[in-house]
Amino acid sequence: MAQNTPRSAELAQLLETGPFHLALRSALTERGLALTRVQHKLAQRGVTIGVTSLSYWQQGARRPQRPESLRAVRALEEVLDLPAYSLHRLLVPKGGARPEAERPPARSYRSLAAPTTALQRLFAELAAPADGGLHTVGHHERVRIGPGRQLLARESLRVVRAHRDGVDRYVALHRGEAGCDPSRVRVRAAENCRLGRVRGHTEAGVVAAELLFDTRLRAGDTHVFGYVFEDGSGGPSAEYLRGFGFAGGQYVLQVRFDEAAVPVRCTRFAQASAGAPRSGRQELALSGRHRALHLVEQGVRPGILGIAWDWG
């Protein structure tokens, strides 16, 4: 009887975030089935497919796209004891959106809201492609608000997985509050990376920083790295948001306030898109001693998550 339950955390994560070929490869490894055996089991279900095609699918050399291939994928889920549509959804996501494997890494909504021309110029200066080749598996972000109610710093610890070979860097973006001066923003590489080129766009208040890894990741490899943007040059801050372009792993946001600037009310919220109304509002309590609060999202969905605060 099919268990319909992934047997490892790695496989469960790949079935959640993709890409398809790595999820398929992990499932085959977990089940210990040779491709010839898989072919035989598919044939018993009336599905005819060559071993070469199966091999190409797990290598990422080809993606199932035709209707008959997608039917074969559904049969594969049965053969490999996987949840229904767990592989299929990595190829044909709900709503017809692009598969997660083809999506660029999520960036903060502030970054997405920056003028397109500014981002295009910064990425061109850093010779950075729109798709950096990384999926975010986990992201822990800490934001510090200063005595003048300004955003002083934000620190990120990221866990990423490469979805193509040769990835050796990540471009992090920061957009400060109104009045942010990019020349005053400082970037620090905190863990498992080195700071490369840094570029700023004064009119947009945006900074792009290249973070270099000491290794070239292969498709499926994971990497943990951290970095810090130190700002404080902008005006008062009233919220912090992050946008997600694809379904992913865990996101944790912590906000800490200076003792001289404590808000009277803090609220968690979500948005389906930048122009959509805010929903899922939930009042958050500040811890008295640490003047901090947080939100945790175990399985990120496309959209926006954030915390807003009222100074009274």
Side-chain angles (χ1 to χ4, degrees):
M1 179 180 294
Q3 296 179 1
N4 287 331
T5 303
R7 298 177 184 174
S8 74
E10 179 183 10
L11 177 54
Q13 183 64 54
L14 284 170
L15 290 175
E16 178 68 25
T17 65
F20 168 80
H21 71 282
L22 293 181
L24 174 58
R25 187 190 307 171
S26 179
L28 288 166
T29 301
E30 289 281 329
R31 282 21 174 194
L33 291 175
L35 294 183
T36 52
R37 183 62 177 161
V38 172
Q39 181 191 38
H40 176 69
K41 286 179 172 291
L42 289 172
Q44 290 178 327
R45 289 167 170 79
V47 175
T48 301
I49 187 170
V51 171
T52 301
S53 293
L54 290 172
S55 179
Y56 282 160
W57 288 0
Q58 70 160 340
Q59 293 172 29
R62 292 181 185 172
R63 288 171 60 84
Q65 294 179 329
R66 295 179 299 175
E68 57 269 30
S69 296
L70 294 176
R71 285 194 292 271
V73 170
R74 292 285 292 115
L76 264 175
E77 293 164 353
E78 295 181 11
V79 170
L80 297 174
D81 292 347
L82 297 176
Y85 291 97
S86 56
L87 289 175
H88 187 273
R89 61 175 287 276
L90 298 178
L91 299 164
V92 186
K94 184 178 180 181
R98 283 190 300 160
E100 290 89 336
E102 298 174 1
R103 294 187 183 274
R107 297 196 178 96
S108 71
Y109 172 63
R110 280 190 171 83
S111 300
L112 294 173
T116 301
T117 54
L119 296 182
Q120 288 176 338
R121 196 194 81 179
L122 292 173
F123 274 77
E125 290 181 11
L126 297 175
D131 181 357
L134 297 170
H135 286 311
T136 298
V137 176
H139 187 184
H140 188 168
E141 193 165 31
R142 295 192 292 184
V143 174
R144 187 156 52 92
I145 306 299
R149 301 181 177 180
Q150 75 277 42
L151 191 157
L152 284 185
R154 63 181 187 87
E155 177 182 352
S156 286
L157 180 66
R158 283 183 178 270
V159 183
V160 296
R161 174 179 283 109
H163 62 80
R164 59 176 171 80
D165 293 336
V167 180
D168 64 355
R169 68 197 61 205
Y170 175 80
V171 175
L173 295 171
H174 170 76
R175 190 185 189 197
E177 301 292 350
C180 170
D181 180 357
S183 68
R184 294 172 56 189
V185 176
R186 297 290 176 263
V187 190
R188 291 192 291 109
E191 186 171 351
N192 296 328
C193 62
R194 295 177 289 110
L195 184 62
R197 297 167 292 177
V198 178
R199 298 290 185 269
H201 193 289
T202 303
E203 292 79 9
V206 180
V207 176
E210 185 181 51
L211 301 165
L212 307 173
F213 307 152
D214 290 329
T215 183
R216 286 185 177 272
L217 304 179
R218 296 178 300 174
D221 287 350
T222 55
H223 189 65
V224 180
F225 66 102
Y227 55 92
V228 181
F229 284 99
E230 297 176 344
D231 192 347
S233 65
S237 177
E239 62 186 14
Y240 190 85
L241 329 91
R242 177 159 288 276
F244 303 89
F246 63 91
Q250 184 189 73
Y251 175 63
V252 179
L253 170 61
Q254 291 179 287
V255 181
R256 184 184 299 274
F257 298 90
D258 188 272
E259 62 182 354
V262 179
V264 298
R265 185 179 298 104
C266 301
T267 307
R268 167 185 174 146
F269 65 88
Q271 285 177 272
S273 63
R278 293 184 173 179
S279 61
R281 294 179 182 271
Q282 177 186 353
E283 192 162 333
L284 301 176
L286 273 170
S287 63
R289 179 179 179 183
H290 301 290
R291 303 175 302 281
L293 46 81
H294 72 278
L295 67 78
V296 178
E297 191 72 13
Q298 293 290 358
V300 168
R301 298 299 177 188
I304 295 168
L305 294 172
I307 297 176
W309 47 90
D310 182 2
W311 294 113

